[in-house]
Amino acid sequence: RKSVQGLRIEYTLYNEVGFFCYSWYVIANYRAQQEYHLTESFYVNDIAFAVHAFVLTTVQLVQIFWYRHTIDGPPGVVYSVILTGVTVAFVAQLIAAAAGALPWVSDTRAGGTYFWDGAYCLAAYCSLAKVIITAVKYVPQAVHNCRRKSTIGWSICNVALDFTGGTFSFGQNFIQVANDGNWNHLFGNPGKLALSVLSIVFDILFFVQHFVLFRDRRDPALLQQRSEGGSTVVSLVDQA
């Protein structure tokens, strides 16, 4: 399409910060888990997911910059304030950790379950930040779809993949619990559990928007843009 029209920029900005925090969270806790021989709650696939998502989100940000003339509008003030607050808080605590005033990860040598033993640390904040971001990041896009009465520009394929990943991520925890009866598999990584639930809920909302509420794939603004460019036909593939 050579366009980012229909995609709210807040979603990608939130993802960039969120997946950076989540990458730090899973990598730090995976290393602590290996070092202190704790019950497995963090896995290599968790690291792969976080880093992969961060890299692809960076690519998407480059696309948004390249096709910035097609952006539907600037980020909303409220969403910008929330994102700025989360980012500033992370930087402040990163500085505190570097100065030795805040642990990088929870001291788990006594057998604690990461930061659930009451020891606040930078990794704990990263998990909290990612959960807050995930709870907020879908809202601008959902509202934008409702205002346009269209989901064009918001990839339903991406939503389907997100829903599939969230479902398998949610199920993995319970499979591990069923395997050895240890609930630390589930509660030792609360960030992963919260993210999977939030993703599933919002993805269901987007499915309803795409397949039930806004089934008309003709977006007047996009049709006009294509018409002015010499093409009056917009394929369903382009509009998905």
Side-chain angles (χ1 to χ4, degrees):
R1 293 194 309 154
K2 299 185 183 300
S3 170
V4 293
Q5 188 175 25
L7 173 66
R8 286 303 303 176
I9 189 174
E10 294 96 333
Y11 176 77
T12 307
L13 291 173
Y14 268 82
N15 265 343
E16 184 75 358
V17 176
F19 283 122
F20 179 83
C21 289
Y22 193 63
S23 296
W24 169 262
Y25 165 69
V26 294
I27 291 173
N29 277 298
Y30 180 81
R31 290 187 61 185
Q33 174 182 276
Q34 298 300 308
E35 182 177 353
Y36 303 130
H37 307 290
L38 300 172
T39 300
E40 286 191 331
S41 297
F42 297 83
Y43 305 90
V44 174
N45 64 285
D46 295 324
I47 297 175
F49 161 74
V51 175
H52 173 264
F54 175 73
V55 171
L56 289 189
T57 300
T58 302
V59 172
Q60 192 174 49
L61 274 178
V62 172
Q63 289 183 320
I64 290 174
F65 176 78
W66 190 259
Y67 300 117
R68 57 190 179 278
H69 58 283
T70 66
I71 294 176
D72 285 340
V77 175
V78 175
Y79 304 119
S80 298
V81 169
I82 295 174
L83 182 60
T84 301
V86 171
T87 304
V88 169
F90 170 76
V91 173
Q93 293 182 82
L94 180 63
I95 295 173
L102 180 71
W104 294 95
V105 294
S106 178
D107 186 351
T108 55
R109 285 169 292 185
T113 55
Y114 308 99
F115 57 85
W116 283 102
D117 57 359
Y120 185 75
C121 59
L122 180 62
Y125 173 77
C126 287
S127 174
L128 178 62
K130 175 54 179 167
V131 171
I132 292 173
I133 285 174
T134 301
V136 176
K137 72 176 184 179
Y138 293 107
V139 176
Q141 187 66 53
V143 172
H144 190 55
N145 291 345
C146 288
R147 287 175 176 170
R148 295 188 305 146
K149 298 188 184 304
S150 171
T151 57
I152 296 174
W154 175 241
S155 174
I156 196 63
C157 294
N158 185 60
V159 174
L161 291 171
D162 192 48
F163 178 80
T164 303
T167 301
F168 279 116
S169 179
F170 183 78
Q172 180 188 21
N173 294 320
F174 289 96
I175 291 174
Q176 292 290 342
V177 171
N179 184 54
D180 60 13
N182 189 342
W183 284 92
N184 273 338
H185 289 300
L186 181 64
F187 298 115
N189 189 354
K192 180 179 179 179
L193 178 62
L195 295 182
S196 61
V197 172
L198 286 169
S199 296
I200 290 171
V201 170
F202 276 103
D203 288 337
I204 291 174
L205 170 61
F206 288 125
F207 283 140
V208 172
Q209 286 186 331
H210 188 81
F211 294 110
V212 179
L213 299 178
F214 312 127
R215 289 181 293 176
D216 188 349
R217 302 290 181 261
R218 295 171 298 177
D219 187 318
L222 186 56
L223 286 170
Q224 181 180 0
Q225 180 187 26
R226 289 300 183 84
S227 179
E228 292 173 353
S231 173
T232 59
V233 178
V234 180
S235 69
L236 290 177
V237 174
D238 288 336
Q239 298 168 355

